[in-house]
Amino acid sequence: MASSVSLKIEFGGGLELLFANQSSHKLTLPKFVPISNSTSLSSLSSSNLKDTDTESATSDDAAIPDGLKRVDVTYLLHHLRDHLLKERPELFMDKETVRPGILVLINDTDWELEGEGEYELKSGDELVFISTLHGG
Amino acid sequence: MASSVSLKIEFGGGLELLFANQSSHKLTLPKFVPISNSTSLSSLSSSNLKDTDTESATSDDAAIPDGLKRVDVTYLLHHLRDHLLKERPELFMDKETVRPGILVLINDTDWELEGEGEYELKSGDELVFISTLHGG
Amino acid sequence: MLPLKDYRRYGRQMILEGFGLPGQVKLKEASVVVVGAGGLGCPALQYLAASGIGRIGVIDHDVVELSNLHRQILHTETTIGMPKALSAAKAISVINPQSKVEAVVQALSPTNATELLAPYDVILDCTDNAPTRYLLSDVAVALRKPLVSGAAQRFEGQLCIYNYGENGPCYRCLFPKPPAQETVGTCEETGILGAVTGIIGNLQALETIKIIAGLKDQAPSLLLFNALQTPPFRSIKLRNKKPACAACGSGAKTRGMIDNTDYVQFCGGPPANWVERGL
Amino acid sequence: MLPLKDYRRYGRQMILEGFGLPGQVKLKEASVVVVGAGGLGCPALQYLAASGIGRIGVIDHDVVELSNLHRQILHTETTIGMPKALSAAKAISVINPQSKVEAVVQALSPTNATELLAPYDVILDCTDNAPTRYLLSDVAVALRKPLVSGAAQRFEGQLCIYNYGENGPCYRCLFPKPPAQETVGTCEETGILGAVTGIIGNLQALETIKIIAGLKDQAPSLLLFNALQTPPFRSIKLRNKKPACAACGSGAKTRGMIDNTDYVQFCGGPPANWVERGL
Ligand SMILES: [Zn+2]
Ligand SMILES: [Zn+2]
């Protein structure tokens, strides 16, 4: 198992307009990330952690370095806001979660059934962010 | 890896009427089956082969017992005809393949792109058999 | 049970296994109300009427405009200026003179919604704005009726059945807080491809027919459609209803909430064009 | 480019990104022919006309019957007995008086098909029988036009674009041999839920609009729909065209084949009711 997770991200319902008008994105995140959800060092921490991680593939309880956590949806939200979003972050996030009117789907399942922000991401996961539509 | 493969089978376009009017089926087939596509001993050969197979999980080139082949779609067709079909086999098979007007889909892909009858089945595969519709 | 003429008219669906004579009788005895006779309401009304639903309500206070005609296929150049509820009611009476059609030319509001919707078995949300969507959901909860909700903008559509079955969520279970107003576009602002509303409205009719005929399973789900994507449809498994929901939760006082909510203010106040339109 | 009135009529789709004025002009300059004005043809015609397609052909030799009305939503009790092509043409002229509508009350046959279909850019297969589906595919290949094909029976529908793009397959690439006749049901025999034909016909209109506006990708695919399944839609990746195909393959002599094929015999001969209907 690698020291990073590869994700497929989709935006719909108009949210893609905030992300360079592109609905499909591929993304790689480090397997361990700051508990603070700070994304400024993400690529750095990714390479730092490579050695620690590669041999601990199957031992899920391997020591997690201080100040880090397994990468989860909350971290992904911060990463998307900080690195992929092109404009107006308030149209995507509100405090530490998505703004009202956005639904998050993990592998075609409502994120509420998967632990919401605490869901730990694994390679191959597909995340969809959809803004609810009101027109008719 | 087990000595058998678990499959999800779907029938559509009216074909389900031949299969107890049930569109979804779950099925387990032995990993090695007779080259002749004879299905009369399938449950027997499954248990016979358990020992041979369990330890050869990763070595794909492990010796295949005489007269057997890896289970493929052609064998599956014979199994469906011999064991699941409730009536009128000529509405499902024609010689050694599906009758004209039936499309076979392997994991949402036209079976022609996957090797047709020679496609080797693996656990988790989803096979759809759909009869083309003409109404309007 | 049915007049002879109905056997001929509905014969093609009455020979369907799992539908049959009982299904057709259920449709005939059922009543359905469609809120919004626009891009979604027109195709929904059309197939509901054709299928043989006994009584159909149409609620809309807007009038037909030329800019509606590229997608609102029950209205025509000759009904421009006429209230949409009347124009649509007239059109579906031609499609099926046997359906009783009741047109209501009023804006839905907290004071009239319960009374207007109570006489029907199933409610279709074919509206075009957030406040009415919250109001409809709350009233559907209060009246214990399923709400077949469609929405469409640009090249996209969404379909969801709220407040259905033992554990089905309501709109507030999914969206407890309304979106900020600046995030909400309308078809006037963002555009809409006509055939997209047709597909979603048509699916609303189908889901309604399934509910009435007893063919609809109860697992909460959401259907997403994007005309430009491959695959174009995506089915999502949804949460159950939430015990803490302000509308459908265990301790919720839904009727009181409806009376005391200013839905437009709740959704961030009226945008300029809503004021004009009398919402 | 467009009269002022068109900006108002089609404004909601002209503000769509990727569509715009060029998209609307393409629709206006385009011509489309719908073969079959039944359960699939009616909704397809409706949304094609509303969208602003410049010229629309309707080919059908059947007459309207009471048993059609639960799903063929352009026909009414007052047009029973009238040829479907005329009834449908009349209805869509009301929806959009600006579209030029050409009705043809003839059964499509190998002798007239090429001539009847040649004047149009896109062909819609909204028919209800196997021989005509093979004939339409062969003619679409000979004329080098895309064929937007829909089918529906019981609770199910199928949608596929044949002969489209560089590598798109034709109907014969998928089904080189016709099915035995006893395996082929019709809507008369197997039944059909009206809203299902609505959804597929509507999707045919949408795909046609996408082709004309340049919004349709070329990857061959098949959309399956089952109103009773979860998820209801399934998208399938299809084979490319086959070099050995009798119709569209490298050495194929399609025009000669059309002239020399008895499509009804090819599909196993006429069932009793086809003979009556003059196929
Ligand atoms: Zn709720
Ligand atoms: Zn071909």
Side-chain angles (χ1 to χ4, degrees):
Chain A
M1 208 179 278
S3 63
S4 56
V5 296
S6 302
L7 305 170
K8 209 182 144 199
I9 312 285
E10 294 267 346
F11 297 105
L15 277 184
E16 68 283 3
L17 300 171
L18 303 176
F19 293 87
N21 205 4
Q22 197 185 322
S23 25
S24 289
H25 299 254
K26 285 188 192 290
L27 200 66
T28 302
L29 291 181
K31 198 165 176 182
F32 296 103
V33 297
I35 290 173
S36 68
N37 294 312
S38 159
T39 68
S40 53
L41 295 173
S42 62
S43 53
L44 181 62
S45 48
S46 166
S47 52
N48 279 352
L49 287 164
K50 204 159 270 172
D51 304 43
T52 329
D53 186 56
T54 10
E55 70 267 25
S56 69
T58 47
S59 59
D60 251 20
D61 291 330
I64 299 175
D66 260 7
L68 299 185
K69 62 173 179 179
R70 283 177 197 280
V71 62
D72 57 15
V73 173
T74 298
Y75 182 85
L76 171 65
L77 295 180
H78 286 80
H79 179 90
L80 293 175
R81 183 193 61 187
D82 297 348
H83 299 286
L84 258 79
L85 194 72
K86 296 297 173 193
E87 49 182 323
R88 305 186 66 194
E90 75 280 9
L91 296 187
F92 180 61
M93 276 182 82
D94 181 12
K95 304 199 184 80
E96 295 295 290
T97 188
V98 289
R99 69 145 170 88
I102 293 182
L103 211 53
V104 184
L105 311 167
I106 303 170
N107 301 324
D108 286 346
T109 300
D110 186 350
W111 74 331
E112 249 229 4
L113 298 169
E114 302 286 345
E116 302 198 25
E118 291 168 22
Y119 173 86
E120 288 177 3
L121 295 163
K122 55 185 198 310
S123 266
D125 279 349
E126 184 180 23
L127 281 284
V128 178
F129 298 85
I130 194 103
S131 177
T132 178
L133 302 176
H134 298 98
Chain B
M1 206 177 279
S3 63
S4 57
V5 295
S6 303
L7 306 171
K8 210 182 144 203
I9 312 286
E10 295 266 348
F11 297 103
L15 276 185
E16 69 282 4
L17 299 172
L18 303 176
F19 292 88
N21 204 5
Q22 197 187 321
S23 26
S24 288
H25 299 254
K26 283 188 192 292
L27 199 67
T28 301
L29 292 181
K31 198 166 174 181
F32 296 103
V33 297
I35 290 174
S36 68
N37 294 311
S38 158
T39 68
S40 52
L41 295 173
S42 61
S43 54
L44 180 63
S45 47
S46 166
S47 52
N48 279 354
L49 287 166
K50 205 159 273 172
D51 302 45
T52 330
D53 187 56
T54 10
E55 70 267 29
S56 68
T58 47
S59 59
D60 250 21
D61 291 331
I64 298 176
D66 259 8
L68 299 184
K69 63 174 179 178
R70 286 177 195 280
V71 61
D72 58 13
V73 172
T74 297
Y75 182 84
L76 171 64
L77 295 180
H78 285 80
H79 179 89
L80 293 175
R81 184 193 61 187
D82 297 347
H83 298 286
L84 258 80
L85 194 72
K86 296 298 174 192
E87 48 184 325
R88 304 185 67 192
E90 75 279 10
L91 297 188
F92 180 61
M93 276 182 82
D94 181 12
K95 302 199 185 83
E96 296 295 290
T97 188
V98 289
R99 68 146 169 88
I102 292 181
L103 211 54
V104 184
L105 312 167
I106 301 170
N107 301 323
D108 287 346
T109 299
D110 185 350
W111 75 331
E112 250 229 4
L113 299 170
E114 302 287 346
E116 302 199 26
E118 290 168 22
Y119 174 86
E120 288 178 3
L121 296 162
K122 56 185 196 309
S123 266
D125 279 349
E126 184 179 23
L127 282 283
V128 178
F129 298 84
I130 194 104
S131 176
T132 178
L133 302 176
H134 298 98
Chain C
M1 284 295 244
L2 285 182
L4 185 61
K5 195 180 171 194
D6 282 12
Y7 283 85
R8 286 200 290 138
R9 182 172 196 125
Y10 305 113
R12 297 296 172 269
Q13 58 197 35
M14 289 173 65
I15 58 174
L16 284 169
E17 200 182 317
F19 190 87
L21 173 62
Q24 196 60 46
V25 170
K26 282 178 194 161
L27 293 190
K28 194 185 180 78
E29 291 173 351
S31 57
V32 164
V33 60
V34 175
V35 185
L40 300 168
C42 285
L45 284 163
Q46 191 171 41
Y47 280 93
L48 289 170
S51 75
I53 303 270
R55 192 161 54 86
I56 301 176
V58 193
I59 303 181
D60 201 312
H61 68 291
D62 261 343
V63 297
V64 178
E65 295 174 28
L66 180 60
S67 67
N68 302 147
L69 302 188
H70 81 107
R71 69 186 188 283
Q72 304 184 14
I73 40 74
L74 295 179
H75 311 311
T76 64
E77 290 189 19
T78 61
T79 64
I80 287 175
M82 187 189 286
K84 286 185 186 178
L86 300 179
S87 169
K90 197 179 117 194
I92 64 173
S93 294
V94 173
I95 289 177
N96 195 343
Q98 296 171 286
S99 288
K100 186 161 189 291
V101 183
E102 299 162 340
V104 177
V105 185
Q106 282 184 55
L108 210 68
S109 74
T111 45
N112 69 10
T114 308
E115 193 189 349
L116 287 176
L117 303 176
Y120 300 94
D121 301 327
V122 184
I123 304 169
L124 277 76
D125 184 346
C126 299
T127 66
D128 62 357
N129 63 84
T132 311
R133 289 181 182 274
Y134 277 96
L135 171 60
L136 271 177
S137 176
D138 291 348
V139 176
V141 168
L143 294 172
R144 298 167 190 270
K145 295 180 196 289
L147 177 66
V148 180
S149 176
Q153 269 167 254
R154 286 176 295 265
F155 298 99
E156 287 184 79
Q158 297 172 355
L159 173 75
C160 190
I161 324 294
Y162 294 110
N163 198 45
Y164 178 61
E166 276 306 297
N167 296 309
C170 81
Y171 191 62
R172 277 185 201 264
C173 290
L174 257 73
F175 305 108
K177 286 202 283 184
Q181 214 203 83
E182 76 238 47
T183 68
V184 180
T186 65
C187 289
E188 280 68 44
E189 297 153 23
T190 64
I192 176 73
L193 197 63
V196 172
T197 57
I199 289 157
I200 300 296
N202 220 312
L203 284 164
Q204 288 182 269
L206 175 67
E207 292 302 305
T208 303
I209 290 164
K210 281 165 59 185
I211 289 172
I212 295 169
L215 293 169
K216 171 85 188 149
D217 72 37
Q218 301 204 345
S221 70
L222 166 68
L223 184 72
L224 304 177
F225 174 66
N226 186 327
L228 301 185
Q229 254 169 25
T230 309
F233 292 94
R234 188 187 276 270
S235 289
I236 306 298
K237 187 184 170 198
L238 281 189
R239 68 193 72 176
N240 285 340
K241 67 159 83 175
K242 297 178 76 165
C245 175
C248 74
S250 30
K253 297 202 171 62
T254 323
R255 278 176 198 267
M257 187 175 73
I258 295 168
D259 293 340
N260 294 312
T261 301
D262 180 332
Y263 285 86
V264 173
Q265 286 306 325
F266 172 69
C267 290
N273 63 330
W274 289 359
V275 177
E276 284 162 26
R277 292 165 59 207
L279 247 167
Chain D
M1 285 296 244
L2 286 181
L4 185 61
K5 196 181 170 193
D6 283 11
Y7 283 86
R8 287 200 289 138
R9 182 173 195 124
Y10 305 111
R12 296 299 173 266
Q13 59 197 34
M14 289 173 65
I15 59 175
L16 285 169
E17 201 182 319
F19 190 87
L21 173 60
Q24 196 61 48
V25 171
K26 282 179 195 160
L27 293 190
K28 196 185 179 76
E29 291 174 352
S31 57
V32 164
V33 61
V34 175
V35 184
L40 300 168
C42 285
L45 283 163
Q46 196 171 38
Y47 280 92
L48 289 170
S51 75
I53 302 270
R55 192 160 54 85
I56 301 176
V58 192
I59 303 181
D60 199 313
H61 68 291
D62 261 343
V63 296
V64 178
E65 296 174 28
L66 180 59
S67 66
N68 303 148
L69 303 188
H70 81 108
R71 68 187 190 283
Q72 304 185 13
I73 39 72
L74 294 178
H75 311 310
T76 66
E77 290 189 19
T78 60
T79 63
I80 287 175
M82 186 190 286
K84 287 185 185 179
L86 300 179
S87 169
K90 197 179 117 193
I92 64 173
S93 294
V94 173
I95 289 177
N96 196 344
Q98 295 171 286
S99 287
K100 185 162 189 292
V101 182
E102 299 161 340
V104 177
V105 186
Q106 281 185 55
L108 210 68
S109 74
T111 43
N112 68 12
T114 308
E115 192 189 350
L116 288 176
L117 302 176
Y120 300 95
D121 301 326
V122 184
I123 304 169
L124 277 76
D125 183 347
C126 299
T127 65
D128 62 357
N129 64 83
T132 312
R133 289 181 183 275
Y134 277 96
L135 170 61
L136 271 177
S137 177
D138 292 347
V139 176
V141 167
L143 295 171
R144 298 167 190 271
K145 295 181 196 286
L147 176 66
V148 180
S149 174
Q153 268 166 258
R154 287 176 295 266
F155 299 98
E156 288 184 79
Q158 297 173 355
L159 173 75
C160 190
I161 324 294
Y162 295 110
N163 199 44
Y164 179 60
E166 275 306 296
N167 296 309
C170 80
Y171 192 63
R172 278 186 200 264
C173 289
L174 257 73
F175 305 108
K177 285 202 282 183
Q181 214 203 86
E182 74 239 46
T183 68
V184 180
T186 66
C187 289
E188 279 69 45
E189 297 153 21
T190 65
I192 176 74
L193 197 63
V196 172
T197 55
I199 289 157
I200 299 297
N202 220 310
L203 284 164
Q204 288 181 271
L206 175 66
E207 293 302 305
T208 303
I209 290 165
K210 281 165 60 186
I211 290 172
I212 294 168
L215 293 168
K216 171 85 189 148
D217 72 35
Q218 302 204 345
S221 70
L222 167 69
L223 184 72
L224 304 177
F225 174 65
N226 185 327
L228 301 185
Q229 254 169 23
T230 310
F233 292 94
R234 189 187 275 272
S235 289
I236 306 297
K237 188 183 171 199
L238 282 189
R239 67 193 72 175
N240 285 340
K241 68 160 82 174
K242 297 178 76 164
C245 174
C248 74
S250 31
K253 297 204 170 64
T254 322
R255 279 175 199 268
M257 186 175 72
I258 294 168
D259 293 339
N260 294 314
T261 300
D262 179 334
Y263 286 84
V264 174
Q265 286 306 326
F266 172 68
C267 291
N273 63 330
W274 288 359
V275 177
E276 284 161 27
R277 292 166 59 209
L279 247 167

